[in-house]
């Protein structure tokens, strides 16, 4: 870090004197008193033309430095380099997204600060969802670690890499609670639970933003998609979210509020409507709740053309109407449509949008730029040397490996088949075992694909010369090919044990990748049956961006691991667990159903009037074909130990209104291997004025248990843990009895009860 004063630093970086006047005005005011910085922004706003204001509210994808995966529809807005440079000089662009590279960013920033009417710096954004060049596990996988410190550290490392390539702002974390596994974007979130999701939202915001947003390695966070995008009907992307406001507030909004409380200064309005009002034109969401109730001081950016989509929604008549509805609702920045540039000046002139509304949006944008330190130093995070030194460091790769292994969930391990011996004869079979392109996983926009460690490489490295590794692809992800099955069967027959890697390809989850059937594609099931028919023991390693419905040999295999998409170090992370060098610690952040048709399926559903408590199937809430249970419940994950839980105990039968009750249970490892256990606390409100979830996660704790060790785990329960969103749209607890479980998953545990007294 340089200690030069900001003005001198800017001069050295080639900023013109004229631009420095504008920049220095802000700097000087700030030096006098913090409050004065706002005055300077006011000065700036008072001098800007309406065209320049519209420009400050218009964000575009970067056609000049795009070098990653295609993740948005190609659009008419895709411009040439000359056009973009001219628009920057004219002050018609507030920032660019999804381009990386410091040299190009510096060139554009120079134009912005030296040639645009008021020298306002650009902000550079990007979809840094689970790492940049180093890819970490997809967010859903990482949520399976139940380890928020890990999420903090991977977000911090992602921020270091992202800022090294010239980004200031990430469109992450996605904090949408998703209860339908058909939705492809499950992969980007923290799963089906609001409590867990809120914890991960906070950790990721803190990790991205660091201790001060002005730091060179700090990345502005953008919790998205506001709101209820995870509630799209039928799990179909972009569909309507037709939910009551109590569900919106109890289930979908808390992770956002937690993220904003943690200091996130931007959010993205969702594509979907909520009960008929599209989020991007939703004044109640973007202004009344977000700003009014929560006091959010940051900016709202639309999701890619979602303001334009108000027309297709049938909520706005045309582009001008959509622009007015979006900005009047509280959407400050238009992403990619160009509508604000096109229509705002006239809308202000004809009085449809007030200048005060535009000014307020510009104020929010400028304050965020100020918070990022861009007025002090427009070239922050645009240093050529960090681009070389801060990418894929040994430390970051070690973190990716650690994150990968902590995200793996041991679903099943009959007869203690796992861990495997490194000197065994292993047949490693599956469509992706050495396909590098599949390894960064969904929503990795800028990954270093060539250096991703495949399963084949990871197994080879772990086994060295000790054992024998035979590899066969067997099938493609979604089709068979001549000789594939035969080759796989031969490999299986020549082995002691088969490791079968099957599931979804990276492209099968993520945006617009909703599925009607969440089982493993037919071709791979055929492969699984053929391999199982050899009679060799089979370890299934699942690849997936959502929970899957497991059938046939994929379900009956004696050992199954959920390995998601783990990113750069996948092969090493998986080998660490498969060969027992590390204890598995992952827990499911999503329920695995027995069949796709159970979706939306989530553990914390409301109690029905006819619950199926026994095998009894008559006139009960269940389907003809399967019981109303998960195949693998939320929170489930085995260890290599042998874990048992004692009964849940409370230290008092009654919880006073402002008091606490201690809740504890013993947890023992009777096995011969060390175990890492994630001890979970669930509650259920027996009688309430609105029906409540059958169980709700309220806490969790990580413990390490040596063979033969027993520990007592204690949680402290307060009234605030027992609150729910009432019909009055306030969180409140109601006196009465509550069931409490300390348990290894959302199913199981021996409950106690406590009475909340007023
Ligand atoms: C659309 C996605 O919904 C959003 O999450 C993403 O940040 C934008 N595209 C920008 O790429």
């Amino acid at each position: 870090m340089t200690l030069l004063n900001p003005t001198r630093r800017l001069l050295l970086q080639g900023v013109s004197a004229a631009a420095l006047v504008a920049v220095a005005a802000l700097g000087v005011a700030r030096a006098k008193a913090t409050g004065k910085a706002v005055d300077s922004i006011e000065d700036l706003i008072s001098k800007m033309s309406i065209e320049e204001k519209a420009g400050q509210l218009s964000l575009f994808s970067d056609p000049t430095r795009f070098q990653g995966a295609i993740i948005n529809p190609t659009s008419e807005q895709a411009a040439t380099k000359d056009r973009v440079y001219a628009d920057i000089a004219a002050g018609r662009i507030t920032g660019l997204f999804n381009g990386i590279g410091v040299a190009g960013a510096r060139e554009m920033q120079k134009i912005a600060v030296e040639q645009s009417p008021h020298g306002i710096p650009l902000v550079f954004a990007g979809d840094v969802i689970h790492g940049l060049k180093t890819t970490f596990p997809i967010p859903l996988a990482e949520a399976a670690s139940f380890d928020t410190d890990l999420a903090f550290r991977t977000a911090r490392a992602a921020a270091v890499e992202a800022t090294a390539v010239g980004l200031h702002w990430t469109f992450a974390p996605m904090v949408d609670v998703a209860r339908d596994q058909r939705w492809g974007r499950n992969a980007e979130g923290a799963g089906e639970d609001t409590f867990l999701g809120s914890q991960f939202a906070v950790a990721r915001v803190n990790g991205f933003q660091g201790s001060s947003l002005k730091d060179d390695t700090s990345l502005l966070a953008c919790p998205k998609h506001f709101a209820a995008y995870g509630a799209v009907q039928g799990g179909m992307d972009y569909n309507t979210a037709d939910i009551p406001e109590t569900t919106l507030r109890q289930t979908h909004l808390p992770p956002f509020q937690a993220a904003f409380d943690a200091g996130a200064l931007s959010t993205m309005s969702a594509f979907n409507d909520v009960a008929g009002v599209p989020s991007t034109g939703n004044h109640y969401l973007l202004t009344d709740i977000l700003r009014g109730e929560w006091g959010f001081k940051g900016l709202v950016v639309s999701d890619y053309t979602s303001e334009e989509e108000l027309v297709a929604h049938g909520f706005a008549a045309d582009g001008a109407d959509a622009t007015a509805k979006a900005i009047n609702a509280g959407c400050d920045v238009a992403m990619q449509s160009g509508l604000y540039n096109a229509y705002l000046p006239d809308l202000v002139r004809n009085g449809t949008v007030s200048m005060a509304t535009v000014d307020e949006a510009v104020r929010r944008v400028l304050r965020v730029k100020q918070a990022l330190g861009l007025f002090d130093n427009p070239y922050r995070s645009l240093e050529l040397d960090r681009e070389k030194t801060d990418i894929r460091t040994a430390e970051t790769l070690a973190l990716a490996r650690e994150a990968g292994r902590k995200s793996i969930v041991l679903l099943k391990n009959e007869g203690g088949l796992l861990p495997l011996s490194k000197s065994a004869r292993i047949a490693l079979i599956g469509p992706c075992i050495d396909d590098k392109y599949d390894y960064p996983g969904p929503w990795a926009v800028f990954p270093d694909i060539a250096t991703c460690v495949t399963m084949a490489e990871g197994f080879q490295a772990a086994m060295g010369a000790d054992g024998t590794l035979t590899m066969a692809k067997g099938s493609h992800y979604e089709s068979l090919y001549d000789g594939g099955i035969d080759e796989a069967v031969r490999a299986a027959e020549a082995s002691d044990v088969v490791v079968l890697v099957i599931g979804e390809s990276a492209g099968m989850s993520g945006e617009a990748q909703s599925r009607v059937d969440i089982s493993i594609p037919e071709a791979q099931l055929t492969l699984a049956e053929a391999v199982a028919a050899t009679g060799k023991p089979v370890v299934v390693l699942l690849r997936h961006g959502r929970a899957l419905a497991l059938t046939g040999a994929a379900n009956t295999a004696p050992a199954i691991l959920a390995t998601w998409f783990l990113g750069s170090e996948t092969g090493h992370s998986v080998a660490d667990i498969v060969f027992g060098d590390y204890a598995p610690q992952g827990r499911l952040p999503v329920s695995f159903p027995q069949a796709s048709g159970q979706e939306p399926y989530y553990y914390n559903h409301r109690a029905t009037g006819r619950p199926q408590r026994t095998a009894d199937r008559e006139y009960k809430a269940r389907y003809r074909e399967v019981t109303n249970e998960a195949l693998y419940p939320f929170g489930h994950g085995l260890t290599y130990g042998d874990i048992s839980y004692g009964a849940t105990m409370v230290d008092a039968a009654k919880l006073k209104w402002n008091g606490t009750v201690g809740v504890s249970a013993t947890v023992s490892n009777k096995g011969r291997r060390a175990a890492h256990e994630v001890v979970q606390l669930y509650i259920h409100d027996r009688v309430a004025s609105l029906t409540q979830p059958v169980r709700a996660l309220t806490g969790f704790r990580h413990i390490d248990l040596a063979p033969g060790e027993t520990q007592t785990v204690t949680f402290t329960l307060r009234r605030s843990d027992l609150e729910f969103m009432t019909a009055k749209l306030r969180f409140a607890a109601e006196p009465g009895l509550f069931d409490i479980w300390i348990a290894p998953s959302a199913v199981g545990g021996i409950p106690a009860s406590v009475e909340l007294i007023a």
Side-chain angles (χ1 to χ4, degrees):
M1 286 302 271
T2 167
L3 293 175
L4 291 176
N5 78 46
T7 310
R8 174 146 168 69
R9 198 164 63 215
L10 292 181
L11 282 171
L12 286 178
Q13 283 160 336
V15 178
S16 77
L20 267 180
V21 175
V23 174
L26 290 155
V28 169
R30 199 171 13 258
K32 284 187 198 148
T34 352
K36 284 284 176 62
V38 173
D39 295 338
S40 303
I41 283 179
E42 295 310 316
D43 284 351
L44 205 46
I45 292 173
S46 69
K47 289 177 197 137
M48 289 165 75
S49 67
I50 179 62
E51 284 75 18
E52 202 190 351
K53 288 176 185 173
Q56 273 311 301
L57 306 179
S58 299
L59 184 74
F60 295 96
S61 70
D62 186 344
T64 71
R65 297 175 304 142
F66 186 76
Q67 47 174 270
I70 305 279
I71 39 126
N72 285 302
T74 43
S75 146
E76 291 157 19
Q77 302 299 324
T80 61
K81 183 170 176 177
D82 289 349
R83 175 69 203 273
V84 169
Y85 279 30
D87 280 349
I88 295 172
R92 290 169 57 82
I93 294 184
T94 197
L96 292 145
F97 66 95
N98 284 349
I100 58 171
V102 168
R106 288 181 72 90
E107 221 172 281
M108 289 190 273
Q109 193 67 300
K110 194 164 189 289
I111 297 172
V113 294
E114 293 185 15
Q115 296 175 32
S116 74
H118 289 94
I120 301 171
L122 297 167
V123 61
F124 294 108
D127 284 292
V128 183
I129 310 297
H130 52 110
L132 191 102
K133 292 288 175 199
T134 307
T135 42
F136 297 106
I138 55 169
L140 181 63
E142 193 181 64
S145 71
F146 272 57
D147 186 340
T148 51
D149 175 61
L150 179 72
F152 169 84
R153 289 187 290 133
T154 59
R156 188 85 286 281
V160 170
E161 285 199 356
T163 53
V165 299
L167 297 178
H168 306 126
W169 182 16
T170 177
F171 297 144
M174 190 189 94
V175 303
D176 298 312
V177 172
R179 297 165 138 195
D180 192 325
Q181 300 303 313
R182 290 171 294 180
W183 192 48
R185 300 196 79 168
N186 270 287
E188 288 173 63
E192 71 190 36
D193 185 67
T194 302
F195 177 82
L196 187 69
S198 300
Q199 310 267 320
F200 271 85
V202 169
R204 288 176 173 149
V205 166
N206 288 335
F208 286 134
Q209 298 202 160
S211 47
S212 157
L213 260 186
K214 286 196 165 65
D215 286 350
D216 200 49
T217 65
S218 287
L219 199 57
L220 173 69
C222 184
K224 67 186 187 186
H225 306 79
F226 197 67
Y229 186 36
V232 286
Q233 236 173 36
M236 188 181 74
D237 215 351
Y238 317 122
N239 206 1
T240 182
D242 208 3
I243 52 173
E245 189 167 349
T246 43
T247 302
L248 173 73
R249 288 178 178 266
Q250 177 154 326
T251 303
H252 298 280
L253 294 189
F256 284 95
Q257 197 175 0
F260 301 138
D261 286 348
L265 271 187
S266 75
T267 187
M268 188 182 288
S269 63
F271 285 127
N272 57 286
D273 75 79
V274 183
V277 185
S279 301
T280 303
N282 197 322
H283 189 276
Y284 185 56
L285 273 180
L286 302 186
T287 298
D288 298 346
I289 295 182
L290 184 64
R291 271 92 184 216
E293 286 182 35
W294 298 352
F296 175 69
K297 296 278 184 277
L299 67 82
V300 175
V301 61
S302 70
D303 197 353
Y304 202 96
T305 66
S306 62
E307 65 289 344
E308 194 169 26
E309 293 168 22
L310 296 182
V311 178
H313 270 291
F315 188 75
D318 51 28
D321 192 25
T323 302
K325 289 200 162 114
I327 194 152
N328 284 335
C331 174
D332 304 307
V333 177
M335 186 196 292
Q336 192 65 10
S337 68
L339 287 197
Y340 281 18
N341 272 338
Y343 295 110
L344 267 184
D346 280 349
L347 288 168
V348 169
R349 282 191 273 269
N350 71 24
T352 313
V353 174
S354 74
M355 188 64 100
T357 299
V358 173
D359 285 354
E360 182 57 16
V362 172
R363 190 173 290 119
R364 291 178 186 135
V365 170
L366 296 182
R367 280 189 187 151
V368 167
K369 289 187 174 183
Q370 185 182 49
L372 279 165
L374 285 167
F375 287 114
D376 298 329
N377 176 12
Y379 297 90
R380 64 145 284 186
S381 308
L382 301 182
E383 289 156 24
L384 288 158
D385 53 344
R386 273 194 59 218
E387 196 171 29
K388 296 190 195 78
T389 56
D390 284 7
I391 301 293
R392 289 178 45 78
T393 62
E395 208 183 2
T396 309
L397 292 173
L399 177 61
R401 181 171 181 163
E402 176 193 343
R405 68 174 168 258
K406 288 184 169 171
S407 303
I408 295 170
V409 186
L410 179 58
L411 297 178
K412 183 180 186 186
N413 193 18
E414 279 173 9
L417 178 57
L418 287 169
L420 300 181
S421 157
K422 289 179 185 169
S423 53
R425 291 182 307 158
I426 296 176
L428 181 65
I429 298 171
C432 74
I433 54 172
D434 59 2
D435 176 4
K436 295 256 179 200
Y437 281 90
D438 211 53
Y439 281 79
W443 267 110
V445 186
F446 314 100
D448 199 48
I449 295 170
T451 53
C452 279
V453 181
T454 63
M455 297 276 188
E457 290 166 332
F459 274 66
Q460 195 69 73
M463 292 170 73
D466 292 354
T468 314
L469 185 65
T470 315
M471 291 184 274
K473 181 171 162 152
S475 77
H476 299 303
Y477 267 106
E478 296 183 87
S479 60
L480 295 170
Y481 62 89
D482 281 351
I485 299 264
D486 292 345
E487 189 197 4
V489 167
R490 276 197 303 276
E493 278 168 347
S495 71
D496 304 321
V497 59
V498 176
V499 176
L500 181 64
V501 188
I502 49 175
E504 301 182 314
S505 66
M508 287 171 73
S509 52
E511 187 176 345
Q513 304 308 319
S514 298
R515 298 182 65 196
V516 286
D517 179 357
I518 57 169
S519 42
I520 293 175
E522 202 55 44
Q524 293 177 76
L525 290 178
T526 306
L527 172 65
E529 297 298 342
V531 166
T534 64
K536 299 290 177 171
V538 177
V539 176
V540 166
L541 303 185
L542 298 172
R543 307 230 345 126
H544 47 128
R546 51 164 67 82
L548 297 173
L550 302 178
T551 55
N555 184 28
T556 53
I560 306 176
L561 286 162
T563 70
W564 322 95
F565 295 99
L566 300 177
S568 297
E569 296 288 290
T570 302
H572 291 323
S573 303
V574 170
D576 285 345
I577 297 295
V578 165
F579 294 111
D581 292 337
Y582 288 85
Q585 80 163 55
R587 304 287 141 149
L588 289 179
V590 281
S591 309
F592 271 50
Q594 300 178 64
S596 294
Q598 284 176 280
E599 295 295 331
Y601 188 89
Y602 45 96
Y603 84 96
N604 51 354
H605 58 85
R606 295 176 187 279
T608 70
R610 294 191 175 186
Q612 189 200 18
R613 292 211 178 90
T614 63
D616 176 13
R617 52 178 295 165
E618 222 183 318
Y619 297 98
K620 297 293 183 197
R622 57 162 286 163
Y623 298 94
R624 285 181 64 85
E625 298 85 352
V626 293
T627 56
N628 189 27
E629 290 164 318
L631 178 63
Y632 295 108
F634 175 90
H636 171 73
L638 302 174
T639 69
Y640 290 151
D642 177 6
I643 302 296
S644 58
Y645 280 62
T648 308
M649 312 286 281
V650 286
D651 67 9
K654 294 186 194 299
L655 170 60
K656 291 193 188 135
W657 200 244
N658 291 318
T660 59
V661 162
V663 185
S664 59
T666 57
V667 186
S668 310
N669 178 9
K670 297 184 182 122
R672 280 177 301 159
R673 285 181 162 268
H676 183 98
E677 185 64 13
V678 181
V679 182
Q680 300 154 44
L681 176 72
Y682 292 92
I683 57 144
H684 168 234
D685 191 343
R686 278 208 205 157
V687 180
S689 54
L690 291 178
T691 56
Q692 289 305 302
V694 292
R695 281 199 194 196
L697 183 72
T698 311
F700 56 88
R701 190 81 42 82
H702 289 255
I703 56 170
D704 287 305
L705 287 168
E709 187 181 354
T710 295
Q711 287 185 30
T712 300
V713 178
T714 303
F715 295 89
T716 303
L717 205 66
R718 296 182 169 74
R719 173 172 41 101
S720 56
D721 298 318
L722 309 177
E723 291 180 340
F724 66 93
M725 182 55 60
T726 66
K728 290 185 180 146
L729 302 181
R730 279 200 307 267
F731 273 106
E734 293 175 352
L737 279 173
F738 291 80
D739 298 311
I740 308 165
W741 296 257
I742 292 183
S745 76
V747 170
I750 305 165
S753 65
V754 74
E755 185 183 358
L756 175 66
I757 49 171

